[in-house]
Amino acid sequence: MTPTEQRGRAYTYADLPGLMSLMTGDEKHGPAATSTLDVLWVLYDRVLRVTPERMDDPGRDRFLLSKGHGPMAYYAVLAAKGFLPEDLLPGFGSYDSPLGHHPDRTLVPGVEIGSGSLGHGLPIAVGTALGLRAQGIDDARVWTLVGDAELDEGSNHEAIAFAGPAALERLHTVVVDNASASHARPGGIAARFEAAGWSVVTVDGRDHEALLGAFTAPHPGRPHAVVARVEAKSA
């Protein structure tokens, strides 16, 4: 089945567990994947302005998966939205499959960055937002998804500290908070972003309407962070 043929079918959120079940093998990182499923679906289904036909459009929204562990949910959503054919899913993680344990932008349609080294997605998103600003591309928005434990990486703190004073209004960060971080932060995750001048909303990461409201909340002149609290489900 090609992506074009696949787009003749309207997938829903209820189809995602079935798509994820097609991916088997070692290193699935099931809990890490399922913790991101709701965030990814709401973004791709109701927020992001990008389609398979617009993957090369300079004005498209950019989504950067920094939380590169457990990309099963990401691949399932990309398949549901027609970026890649469903028949690629069963080969996940195999030697000759483009669907690796970390997404590769050169192999998977719709993937903006290669994921793997935790802590690099948010700095790249900052650079992407700066690049779009320099080019005068004002409509494109930049989104990145990070994990709460990933915020232990110092590179993220530098990116957070820079983006607020730089007034990167087109930059959005979603932190999937499943309480897996090793180091606590005074006041919690939201306080770290607020201290750097970001707009921040904390919501239930399984509530689709709450996520949509948080994703679309106005934040003039400031970058925006959404802390999506979830309890990781076993897979």
Side-chain angles (χ1 to χ4, degrees):
M1 180 186 297
T2 67
T4 299
E5 292 169 338
Q6 188 169 303
R7 287 196 293 278
R9 173 184 174 183
Y11 286 84
T12 68
Y13 175 77
D15 294 310
L16 297 181
L19 292 173
M20 290 179 65
S21 72
L22 298 175
M23 291 174 272
T24 58
D26 297 331
E27 298 186 39
K28 292 194 301 182
H29 294 288
T34 55
S35 69
T36 66
L37 189 61
D38 298 271
V39 165
L40 287 167
W41 178 253
V42 174
L43 281 173
Y44 273 91
D45 190 53
R46 304 173 71 177
V47 178
L48 293 176
R49 295 176 298 196
V50 62
T51 64
E53 296 78 16
R54 293 190 63 191
M55 286 189 291
D56 297 320
D57 182 350
R60 73 188 183 280
D61 286 347
R62 276 79 166 166
F63 174 77
L64 283 57
L65 181 69
S66 188
K67 185 179 170 64
H69 288 123
M72 294 168 59
Y74 189 34
Y75 293 149
V77 170
L78 289 176
K81 291 302 178 180
F83 289 89
L84 55 91
E86 179 184 325
D87 57 16
L88 283 179
L89 299 179
F92 165 69
S94 62
Y95 176 77
D96 58 352
S97 172
L99 306 184
H101 296 302
H102 297 287
D104 185 330
R105 66 177 297 274
T106 68
L107 299 177
V108 185
V111 172
E112 297 280 357
I113 62 170
S115 299
S117 177
L118 296 179
H120 74 316
L122 182 51
I124 293 175
V126 168
T128 302
L130 285 170
L132 292 171
R133 175 190 283 180
Q135 295 174 75
I137 301 175
D138 298 325
D139 293 334
R141 300 171 301 184
V142 181
W143 291 79
T144 184
L145 189 155
V146 305
D148 61 317
E150 188 177 355
L151 290 180
D152 289 346
E153 300 288 344
S155 55
N156 279 318
H157 293 283
E158 294 178 1
I160 292 168
F162 177 88
L168 294 181
E169 184 177 351
R170 313 308 290 175
L171 176 64
H172 306 75
T173 297
V174 185
V175 182
V176 174
D177 179 11
N178 55 17
S180 61
S182 300
H183 306 294
R185 295 166 188 80
I189 293 172
R192 175 67 185 90
F193 284 91
E194 290 170 347
W198 289 57
S199 165
V200 189
V201 178
T202 300
V203 295
D204 179 349
R206 304 287 187 191
D207 186 328
H208 289 197
E209 293 306 318
L211 286 169
L212 178 62
F215 293 159
T216 57
H219 50 96
R222 295 192 290 169
H224 185 55
V226 175
V227 181
R229 290 180 173 170
V230 301
E231 180 179 345
K233 299 177 182 179
S234 60

